[in-house]
Amino acid sequence: MLIVTINEIPGKKLEALGVVRGSTVQSRNLGHDMMSGFRTLVGGEVTDYADMLTEARQIATGRMVKDAEALGADAIVGMRYASASVMQGAAEVIAYGTAVKFV
């Protein structure tokens, strides 16, 4: 599945099939939360959360692709990510875009 952040694919004529999306809510365990809390005291990257969000983006993207495949799409254009904190130590990540078919 071709996924692009631009709204067209150079050299291709597209038929829009509709909006597709995939989302997940991920959280870290208490031990990781405590270690990450210590990290905020000294500064630097909180790698546990960075890893969690990377995994969440991969899951959300996979679910978005499945949504597009169900529509018979060849590609997804205008793809974006959004995220929100749903509680302490948990975040929702959503991937969305427009499913298109090559014509």
Side-chain angles (χ1 to χ4, degrees), residues 8-91:
E8 26 184 275
I9 300 172
K12 297 284 186 185
K13 210 168 182 181
L14 307 176
E15 173 189 345
L17 301 176
V19 174
V20 290
R21 69 195 61 77
S23 67
T24 185
V25 175
Q26 297 284 309
S27 68
R28 299 304 307 174
N29 67 34
L30 181 60
H32 286 184
D33 282 344
M34 289 180 9
M35 293 305 290
S36 296
F38 291 133
R39 170 59 76 188
T40 62
L41 295 175
V42 296
E45 182 178 9
V46 184
T47 55
D48 286 337
Y49 286 108
D51 293 343
M52 176 189 74
L53 290 171
T54 297
E55 180 183 355
R57 282 190 297 273
Q58 290 171 342
I59 292 168
T61 301
R63 291 177 179 170
M64 177 187 64
V65 167
K66 284 183 182 178
D67 198 18
E69 289 172 342
L71 295 176
D74 296 314
I76 299 169
V77 298
M79 188 271 188
R80 302 286 186 266
Y81 290 111
S83 65
S85 177
V86 294
M87 60 182 277
Q88 181 75 26

